[in-house]
Amino acid sequence: MRVEPTKRMDFRLGGGRTTVVFQREFRIPELEPPAAGLLVVFDRNTRGLFGAGVRPAVVVPRGEAAKKWKHALALNREAVERGLTRTGAMVGVGGGAVCDLTAFAASLYMRGCRLALAPTTLLAMVDAAIGGKTGINYLGYKNVIGTFYPAEVVWIGISALESLPEEEYRSGLAEVIKTALLGDPALYETLTRRREAVLGRDADLLLEIVRSCVAVKGRIVEEDFRESGRRAHLNLGHTFAHALESVTTLGKRGFTAGLRGRRPGAGVGRWSHGEAVAWGIARAMDLGVRLGVTDAAYAEEVDRLLDLYGFRRSVRRSSAEGLVDAMGKDKKRQGDRLRFVLQRRLGETVVEEVDDAAVRALLEEAGVS
Ligand code: GLY
């Protein structure tokens, strides 16, 4: 089936409305009615790729290094200096970090100015730009300061994915797999049967995949905007993943300090967010089987799907103890027990509290000693 070049989806989020526009060609978002003024935010990479002729533009560092107070303040300072009013808009053009930062800054400026996002990575298209979570990292904690502030418009231009480095593309694919597991059997089938086209970044197929993911996530966040229930299901695999990211990529000093001075991809034993999520999904399946929650045949199927896309299985240079400690920092912790999103089978997701000891034993069994 040929996908029509432009499609829209509307979601009601926390009293506001987000329109998601899907197109083949990447474009800087347009707002309706037009904004009184714009502040367009790029990172160094997206400025070069998509920013020709765009004024006024602000450039922030690439990746998580952008998610700092000083950059949120710098965007607000630019907005003041340029005389942006509340009817002006901040526009974030980039991956998850640019989207999170720009949305955070926009939520603060004059108690909230207009906001549009143009995600340029698969991960930002299917997750970060959708659903109104904003945030910066602080004192070693990821997204510990943030707001709920949905974009008025999210423009998804699939052609932006053509230039995406392989590692980042695969990182987004893990979130696509997660979304399929949460509630889209047709997408699960597509991922299982059309690996070559998915990895070959077939534009029509990608448009369809991104639309499916946005539809699933949009439905979940419409129902539970502030994560008091079902939205937590979007964290499938993430408790394990955040722990792995923090011990392998970020070092003992924590998130922000651990990234200082590193180029993305330059860290020893670095795991991208998506690779960590894929590993985390596999561990969540193991944990579910161990606790008698997850259907064992389903867990094996998921394992095969993760294998099909070549996600790493083995975790070197990490200890089970270190990972469990890192989980203690997770926002999802409740007292002495950790909370995990588990699945009975495709589309049936539950949240369970689990003892640290059971998690440590599971990790040791998975080869983390
Ligand atoms: N990335 C998870 C959420 O938006 O809730």
Side-chain angles (χ1 to χ4, degrees):
M1 188 186 72
R2 198 169 163 75
V3 180
E4 290 185 28
T6 304
K7 290 269 188 185
R8 288 168 186 261
M9 280 182 203
D10 285 309
F11 298 104
R12 299 205 160 278
L13 302 178
R17 202 178 77 156
T18 296
T19 299
V20 186
V21 181
F22 301 89
Q23 313 194 116
R24 290 226 178 83
E25 294 312 316
F26 179 84
R27 298 216 332 244
I28 301 293
E30 285 161 16
L31 287 113
E32 201 47 61
L38 289 182
L39 188 69
V40 186
V41 183
F42 296 93
D43 65 20
R44 287 197 201 104
N45 208 26
T46 58
R47 175 74 167 133
L49 287 166
F50 309 110
V54 178
R55 297 272 184 284
V58 184
V59 180
V60 297
R62 287 178 59 186
E64 292 292 319
K67 291 177 60 172
K68 291 182 180 169
W69 259 124
K70 67 175 184 184
H71 298 301
L73 284 179
L75 296 187
N76 274 272
R77 185 184 316 119
E78 281 285 333
V80 170
E81 285 173 3
R82 292 175 190 282
L84 207 73
T85 66
R86 275 175 86 191
T87 51
M90 291 197 195
V91 180
V93 181
V98 171
C99 292
D100 286 357
L101 173 76
T102 308
F104 179 60
S107 74
L108 301 179
Y109 186 64
M110 293 195 173
R111 301 197 179 91
C113 66
R114 297 177 72 189
L115 168 69
L117 297 174
T120 58
T121 64
L122 183 56
L123 191 136
M125 289 178 188
V126 301
D127 190 21
I130 310 293
K133 277 189 181 175
T134 85
I136 55 169
N137 306 322
Y138 189 59
L139 296 180
Y141 291 88
K142 188 168 169 159
N143 295 328
V144 74
I145 296 176
T147 52
F148 285 97
Y149 197 71
E152 194 176 306
V153 169
V154 179
W155 280 62
I156 291 178
I158 288 295
S159 64
L161 300 180
E162 286 165 13
S163 53
L164 196 64
E166 190 60 22
E167 184 192 335
E168 287 194 47
Y169 182 66
R170 287 168 44 75
S171 184
L173 278 181
E175 294 286 355
V176 170
I177 291 175
K178 177 202 81 180
T179 310
L181 301 182
L182 289 180
D184 194 330
L187 177 58
Y188 182 83
E189 277 298 301
T190 302
L191 292 168
T192 309
R193 296 188 190 289
R194 303 197 57 193
R195 174 182 179 273
E196 296 309 319
V198 172
L199 292 179
R201 306 189 197 186
D202 177 282
D204 282 343
L205 183 63
L206 274 181
L207 203 47
E208 209 35 64
I209 286 174
V210 172
R211 281 168 48 80
S212 302
C213 291
V214 170
V216 171
K217 180 160 184 188
R219 275 199 303 275
I220 293 174
V221 292
E222 262 188 334
E223 184 187 311
D224 178 24
F225 181 55
R226 288 185 178 270
E227 199 170 312
S228 49
R230 196 171 161 224
R231 185 168 186 161
H233 294 181
L234 293 166
N235 295 322
L236 178 64
H238 282 62
T239 303
F240 287 107
H242 286 158
L244 182 61
E245 285 176 277
S246 86
V247 301
T248 57
T249 307
L250 309 167
K252 285 200 177 69
R253 287 167 302 150
F255 204 87
T256 315
L259 280 175
R260 194 167 291 144
R262 285 192 187 173
R263 280 185 297 109
V268 175
R270 181 181 185 274
W271 285 64
S272 71
H273 177 66
E275 274 205 286
V277 166
W279 179 81
I281 291 172
R283 297 295 70 76
M285 293 296 148
D286 289 350
L287 184 61
V289 171
R290 196 183 180 95
L291 298 174
V293 171
T294 306
D295 176 68
Y298 171 64
E300 272 174 34
E301 246 185 63
V302 172
D303 215 38
R304 278 200 295 278
L305 180 60
L306 295 168
D307 258 2
L308 193 64
Y309 286 90
F311 285 109
R312 278 195 262 179
R313 284 168 167 275
S314 112
V315 176
R316 288 196 218 104
R317 301 192 200 90
S318 315
S319 70
E321 200 58 53
L323 286 167
V324 173
D325 275 359
M327 285 174 200
K329 279 186 155 194
D330 199 285
K331 293 200 286 305
K332 292 174 282 301
R333 189 177 182 89
Q334 296 273 308
D336 292 344
R337 289 161 74 85
L338 291 158
R339 301 185 84 202
F340 288 90
V341 181
L342 304 176
Q343 290 203 292
R344 296 191 200 288
R345 53 190 64 79
L346 197 150
E348 267 189 58
T349 308
V350 291
V351 178
E352 297 275 338
E353 285 182 15
V354 185
D355 282 336
D356 289 5
V359 180
R360 203 172 297 114
L362 170 105
L363 290 170
E364 280 162 5
E365 224 166 72
V368 186
S369 52

